[in-house]
Amino acid sequence: MTKNRVIIILAAGKGTRMKSDKPKVMHEIAGRPMVKHLISTLEKGNNAKDNIIVVASADNADILTAAVAPHKVVIQTSQQGTADAVKAAAPALKGFTGDALILYGDVPLISKETIADLFAAKEEGADIALLGFVPADPAGYGRIIVRLGEVEAIVEHKDASPDEREIRLCNSGIMCVSAPKLFAWLDKIKNTNAAGEYYLTDIIAMCKGEGGKIALIVGANDELLGVNSMEELAAAEHTLQEDLRKSFMAKGVTLKDPSTTFFSFDTKIGKGVVIEPCVYFGKNVTVADNVTIKAFSHFEGATIGESASIGPFSRLRPDADIGKSAHIGNFVEIKKSTVEQGAKVNHLTYIGDARIGEKANIGAGTITCNYDGFNKYLTDIGKGAFIGSNTALIAPVKIGDGAIVGAGSAISKDVEADALALTRAPQAQKPSWAAKFRAAKQKLKEQK
Ligand code: UD1
Ligand code: MG
């Protein structure tokens, strides 16, 4: 812990406007809960060793404790507003005389640079460093009242007069305050306002009233969007996706139609990768150099090796490990399986709990039957094996190196290396049968 800094993240609010049972700050942006975006930004910045305290409600404390571990969680017993929420951190900060940075769990995209600027402004001698912004639509935000160049107060949207609502400069919610002053002010805040809540924002007018110094920093809109509704969650997702797309393109990834590519916060992509339109990256996907990803593919938890070709319409699920130069084609689903170098699974196939050896070829419509309704079993396909189309591989089963499985087989026993295995019924042929059949049917029709 840095002696002079503490960071309090407010996350106890009911999030009523989300109309969701999930705690607001656990809603995900690019696959990561909002509150974890904040924790990660702090950990990446200079704040990793600061004392981070998350304010939770009794209802969401268990979920938040697990999400933000090992950081401390304190409980705000009843949700009476942002001032009351900060107060919940007071017992954990007895005797602390440094600066408290207050972050709102529903303002998740702030950057480490802006946080550093705020601490710097505070440390230059302000009592409060306040972070404002000028959103395209200020509705709903607290307005920052500035007179003669000085911040005087924050008026919440609900309490603002029509004139005040014309003000474009808004409160991001984020501020850095000297802790002893903060807790003294919090004790004096009243809830005589439109919401009947204890507003943290009231400390601005209190500070000003005592002749204190307030430093104002105006941050970038994209970082400071508040998320109070599903519509705002979608706006934050859009903003972060735009950032991710730009950063991948800046690293040399080709996105044929950037606005249709969706990334996760942790997607890793190498050099020379080409991504066609409509591709979705869920959590924990790694793509090596020079991979081509064709349109309409969906990935989560997968690793794609160098120069592989994936799609169109491929689905790679957790623990799909695709080797160098392998080909995975249309309507192929792969789960918890290793596809070794140069193997091909090109059409309409399900591969689950399997190993596919180097340069093996898996025919159209092959299914690994990996589940009997109770347990999962492995399928092991050797190097250079050839699996004919429409084969059911009934696991556990092993296909030796270089073996060939005839099309349409249901394979439930191991196949030796270099053997041919097939389970097809012998083909019957009845000469002229079809012609006689048609003639008989036609005659019957004419008699009617
Ligand atoms: C708040 C600010 C507003 C600002 C906006 C920025 C106040 C009074 N208003 O409004 O000036 O423009 O954020 O996005 O601060 N929370 C608790 N306990 C509570 C209430 C809230 O922990 O009792 C937490 C919420 O989980 C949330 C944050 O505090 O993370 C902000 O609360 P919210 O109700 O979203 O405030 P806004 O109406 O957005
Ligand atoms: Mg909010």
Side-chain angles (χ1 to χ4, degrees), residues 180-207:
K181 290 191 179 178
L182 170 69
F183 292 113
W185 287 324
L186 289 180
D187 282 336
K188 293 186 206 153
I189 288 177
K190 305 221 157 40
N191 65 348
T192 43
N193 52 53
E197 288 188 357
Y198 296 90
Y199 291 161
L200 173 64
T201 45
D202 284 356
I203 69 167
I204 301 295
M206 288 176 169
C207 175

Side-chain angles (χ1 to χ4, degrees), residues 177-347:
V177 192
S178 94
K181 290 191 179 178
L182 170 69
F183 292 113
W185 287 324
L186 289 180
D187 282 336
K188 293 186 206 153
I189 288 177
K190 305 221 157 40
N191 65 348
T192 43
N193 52 53
E197 288 188 357
Y198 296 90
Y199 291 161
L200 173 64
T201 45
D202 284 356
I203 69 167
I204 301 295
M206 288 176 169
C207 175
K208 183 69 190 164
E210 290 174 11
K213 193 175 166 213
I214 300 162
L216 174 69
I217 290 189
V218 179
N221 287 347
D222 283 357
E223 287 184 23
L224 300 174
L225 294 168
V227 176
N228 302 294
S229 63
M230 288 299 178
E231 198 176 332
E232 288 171 344
L233 181 69
E237 179 78 48
H238 179 82
T239 301
L240 186 54
Q241 289 297 336
E242 281 292 294
D243 282 357
L244 290 165
R245 290 164 191 148
K246 281 182 191 152
S247 77
F248 282 121
M249 288 190 280
K251 286 181 194 150
V253 176
T254 304
L255 301 183
K256 294 281 191 189
D257 184 4
S259 68
T260 67
T261 316
F262 275 75
F263 294 105
S264 170
F265 72 97
D266 59 354
T267 307
K268 291 185 192 67
I269 302 186
K271 284 187 290 225
V273 171
V274 176
I275 302 176
E276 292 185 359
C278 300
V279 172
Y280 182 89
F281 291 88
K283 273 170 241 179
N284 191 23
V285 175
T286 303
V287 180
D289 294 349
N290 301 317
V291 166
T292 300
I293 296 169
K294 296 182 183 161
F296 297 101
S297 293
H298 187 284
F299 310 128
E300 50 187 328
T303 305
I304 303 174
E306 209 184 312
S307 302
S309 171
I310 314 290
F313 299 98
S314 293
R315 179 168 183 212
L316 302 182
R317 292 174 49 207
D319 296 321
D321 184 354
I322 311 302
K324 190 174 170 182
S325 303
H327 284 210
I328 309 298
N330 42 270
F331 306 106
V332 171
E333 174 181 346
I334 299 187
K335 183 220 78 167
K336 205 174 180 189
S337 295
T338 303
V339 177
E340 293 180 353
Q341 179 165 344
K344 291 182 179 166
V345 191
N346 272 332
H347 330 268

Side-chain angles (χ1 to χ4, degrees), residues 10-13 17 24-25 55 76 79-82 85 104-107 140-142 154 156 171-173 199-201 226 228:
L10 304 190
R17 287 166 280 178
K24 174 159 74 170
V25 299
V55 180
Q76 179 194 17
Q79 282 54 69
Q80 299 181 67
T82 45
Y104 283 14
D106 68 346
V107 184
Y141 291 109
I154 294 175
E156 287 306 305
N171 172 32
S172 70
Y199 291 161
L200 173 64
T201 45
N228 302 294

Side-chain angles (χ1 to χ4, degrees), residues 405-420:
V405 172
S409 296
I411 299 293
S412 54
K413 294 193 197 106
D414 289 355
V415 177
E416 279 171 27
D418 294 319
L420 166 70

Side-chain angles (χ1 to χ4, degrees), residues 145 252 303 329 351 379:
I145 314 286
T303 305
I351 300 292
T379 300

